[in-house]
Amino acid sequence: MPVAESPQKSDADTKRRHVLFEVGDQVLLKVSPWKGLIRFRKQVKLSPHFIGPFKLLHKIGKQAYKLELPPELEGIHNNFHVFYLRTCLGEEPYMIPPSELRIDENKWLVEKPKEIIDHKRKKLRHKMIEISMV
């Protein structure tokens, strides 16, 4: 069977990430492990992919790390697999600092638009819908 296992192993190794973080590094956390716990937006395309940065407290096993989470995220377990972590390379526009997150008692993200620029009503086949430009 080694002949059959060889292509499967090479395919699996291309997708595998061998990332080693040091204790004290700053990392970004992927939002997807919170599916069902915290719902960011219904539109996946516009939702944030990473939040952070967070500090690594210590390594658990070969591929898991414990993070220092702020008090706003107290309902979330602080152990994460390397799949959900990314190296923080600096202040990038797609990162959301945890201090800006507003989470209600049901663990939903509360979002308020800064300004509504324009709105109009559009007629579909059997109903009217409101469209707003934020």
Side-chain angles (χ1 to χ4, degrees), residues 36-101:
L37 225 172
I38 292 180
R39 185 167 176 111
F40 277 86
R41 291 188 182 121
K42 290 182 181 179
Q43 299 159 338
V44 178
K45 180 169 45 173
L46 300 175
S47 65
H49 297 285
F50 297 97
I51 63 167
F54 300 107
K55 183 179 177 185
L56 286 175
L57 293 179
H58 61 83
K59 186 174 182 177
I60 303 169
K62 291 183 179 179
Q63 301 221 338
Y65 290 91
K66 187 171 195 165
L67 299 181
E68 180 181 350
L69 296 177
E72 297 93 29
L73 303 176
E74 67 183 33
I76 298 161
H77 202 276
N78 59 354
N79 296 341
F80 293 96
H81 191 268
V82 254
F83 176 75
Y84 298 112
L85 304 176
R86 296 289 186 269
T87 305
C88 180
L89 299 174
E91 294 296 323
E92 300 200 18
Y94 61 85
M95 295 187 312
I96 298 176
S99 59
E100 291 182 12
L101 293 176

